Amino acid sequence: MALTREQVVGTAVGILSDFGLADLSMRRLARELDVQVGALYWHVKNKQELLVDVAARLLGGIDAGVMHPGAPADPGAARAAVERLARAVRAALVPVPDSAEVVQLAQTMQPAALRPLTRLRDLLEEAGVPPARSAWAQHLLLNHILGSVAAQQDRAVLEEAGTERGGPDLGEEAFAWGVDVILAGVLGVREPSPRTA
Amino acid sequence: MALTREQVVGTAVGILSDFGLADLSMRRLARELDVQVGALYWHVKNKQELLVDVAARLLGGIDAGVMHPGAPADPGAARAAVERLARAVRAALVPVPDSAEVVQLAQTMQPAALRPLTRLRDLLEEAGVPPARSAWAQHLLLNHILGSVAAQQDRAVLEEAGTERGGPDLGEEAFAWGVDVILAGVLGVREPSPRTA
DNA sequence: ACCTGAACACCGTTCAAGT
DNA sequence: ACCTGAACACCGTTCAAGT
């Protein structure tokens, strides 16, 4: 049977997950698929385009319940939804090495391809961010998410290599704190959200 | 005369500034210095170590007046100092392609080598961030700075390539807004700083 | 101490030619 | 339509050997 683009992307995600971006070469990918390198270029324009698809698939598994598009909710609920979605994005990326780098590349090359991230901007507007600022707020939040993911992964790699460089833990707790700080700065201090009150 | 490490780093900064990270290869660097590739490895352990030095030099030019270590100032002044230093870091990186990537690499590999960034953390503490949170706040701010630099550079590159993808401007204004949002979230809303009042 | 020459094991991309 | 074979122009790193 003929190779498909989905197969190519899927195998790329596999290599990335198991070995990291340094090992995700077109040649390695071809070897894994039992084809010659040139074959890949029939299914994909170049490596960058492939990585955009990889990023989209990494974020594609985010639960529909977390995205929950629908009737515009009240600001308090939207703010909670932003927090949930931010956590979901982080959770999807943390287990995949170098995923932050790949997502950043995709976000610059084809932002529309990453639905959960455009959804983040929509939710921010629903939560009360003026449209003129929502793209800025989205970037602020995304930089925090990706930076947090990268920091945690680098830390794990350095520890594995025996390079114990102390430093504070930058895990889930720091992440949640950062989201709170950003939303407090953007939306004002948190008020007890009147959940369906 | 024998090659020096300073020469190697200086030439690397030059290539990065003029052509970007993709063109900064050990072989290209050797060519520019009129030596064989192997010669570089007497002065530098490997490429990563070289890039740490490159990052340090990029930030090394930041004015001492902006860093201004000295007697612990009052919180309001320290907050203003954070804002100035953040702007100075951004200004140092913006003209150098891919500098955000290089600084991020250096920050993970050898954070102590980037003095302006450790100074940022100190200033945040002076401004009132509890020590237990200062490293988190430093990261939050740094992710914003680097993300902002990268976004602006990518935008310039895409425009140069004719890929007009609209999107909002993420320049100085968005940057300043982000710094304000973060500091507001971390320190509370800005109060009219009593400058030497 | 400092550098050359040469090798090792890789890259991404292209493209005529095959089926 | 889909893939092979082979080339082009590169990489980072190592290391015996030279001076």
Side-chain angles (χ1 to χ4, degrees):
Chain A
M1 233 276 290
L3 195 60
T4 68
R5 185 178 172 119
E6 283 65 43
Q7 256 180 92
V8 174
V9 175
T11 307
V13 169
I15 296 176
L16 184 68
S17 303
D18 294 345
F19 305 101
L21 195 55
D23 282 42
L24 178 46
S25 68
M26 298 301 277
R27 303 178 107 100
R28 167 78 179 264
L29 187 50
R31 215 182 308 138
E32 215 98 338
L33 287 162
D34 276 308
V35 294
Q36 301 294 317
V37 222
L40 299 178
Y41 287 85
W42 200 93
H43 298 275
V44 133
K45 188 169 165 287
N46 53 34
K47 193 180 178 178
Q48 292 211 354
E49 196 192 84
L50 171 64
L51 289 179
V52 171
D53 273 34
V54 167
R57 186 170 296 198
L58 290 180
L59 296 179
I62 289 177
D63 194 72
V66 179
M67 308 267 299
H68 84 289
D74 68 294
R79 179 177 182 154
V82 166
E83 291 175 359
R84 277 198 306 276
L85 181 52
R87 269 200 305 274
V89 170
R90 188 186 122 95
L93 298 184
V94 154
V96 181
D98 305 315
S99 53
E101 210 168 321
V102 175
V103 168
Q104 194 171 30
L105 189 264
Q107 170 72 3
T108 19
M109 298 232 335
Q110 261 188 72
L114 305 177
R115 297 300 313 288
L117 303 188
T118 64
R119 177 78 186 132
L120 200 58
R121 197 182 64 224
D122 295 342
L123 285 173
L124 282 164
E125 290 193 14
E126 286 179 31
V129 179
R133 297 284 172 269
S134 66
W136 294 359
Q138 178 204 18
H139 261 84
L140 198 50
L141 207 45
L142 182 59
N143 288 335
H144 171 57
I145 297 171
L146 298 183
S148 156
V149 167
Q152 181 167 342
Q153 291 178 346
D154 291 341
R155 187 170 224 280
V157 168
L158 288 181
E159 271 171 9
E160 207 163 319
T163 317
E164 310 278 352
R165 297 198 289 70
D169 184 52
L170 291 167
E172 280 192 41
E173 201 192 348
F175 171 72
W177 177 84
V179 172
D180 260 21
V181 163
I182 291 172
L183 292 182
V186 171
L187 298 171
V189 200
R190 176 202 300 276
E191 298 161 49
S193 67
R195 38 175 91 251
T196 71
Chain B
M1 233 278 288
L3 194 63
T4 68
R5 184 177 174 122
E6 283 67 41
Q7 258 180 90
V8 174
V9 175
T11 306
V13 169
I15 296 176
L16 184 68
S17 302
D18 295 345
F19 306 100
L21 195 56
D23 282 43
L24 177 46
S25 69
M26 297 302 276
R27 301 179 107 101
R28 168 79 179 265
L29 187 51
R31 215 183 308 138
E32 215 100 336
L33 288 163
D34 275 309
V35 294
Q36 301 295 317
V37 225
L40 300 178
Y41 287 85
W42 201 94
H43 296 278
V44 133
K45 188 169 166 288
N46 52 35
K47 192 178 180 181
Q48 292 210 355
E49 196 193 82
L50 171 64
L51 289 179
V52 170
D53 272 36
V54 166
R57 187 172 292 199
L58 289 179
L59 297 179
I62 289 176
D63 195 71
V66 179
M67 306 266 301
H68 84 289
D74 69 292
R79 179 177 181 153
V82 166
E83 291 175 359
R84 277 200 305 277
L85 182 51
R87 270 200 304 275
V89 169
R90 188 187 123 94
L93 298 184
V94 155
V96 181
D98 305 317
S99 52
E101 210 168 322
V102 176
V103 168
Q104 194 170 31
L105 187 265
Q107 171 71 3
T108 14
M109 297 233 335
Q110 259 189 72
L114 305 178
R115 295 302 310 289
L117 303 188
T118 63
R119 177 78 186 133
L120 201 58
R121 198 184 61 220
D122 295 342
L123 285 172
L124 282 164
E125 290 194 16
E126 286 179 30
V129 179
R133 298 283 173 269
S134 66
W136 293 0
Q138 179 205 17
H139 261 84
L140 198 50
L141 208 43
L142 183 58
N143 288 335
H144 171 56
I145 297 171
L146 299 183
S148 156
V149 167
Q152 182 166 343
Q153 291 178 345
D154 291 340
R155 187 169 223 280
V157 168
L158 288 181
E159 271 171 9
E160 207 164 320
T163 317
E164 311 279 352
R165 294 201 289 75
D169 183 51
L170 292 167
E172 281 192 40
E173 202 190 348
F175 172 72
W177 176 84
V179 172
D180 260 19
V181 163
I182 291 171
L183 292 182
V186 171
L187 299 170
V189 200
R190 177 201 300 275
E191 297 163 49
S193 68
R195 40 175 87 251
T196 70

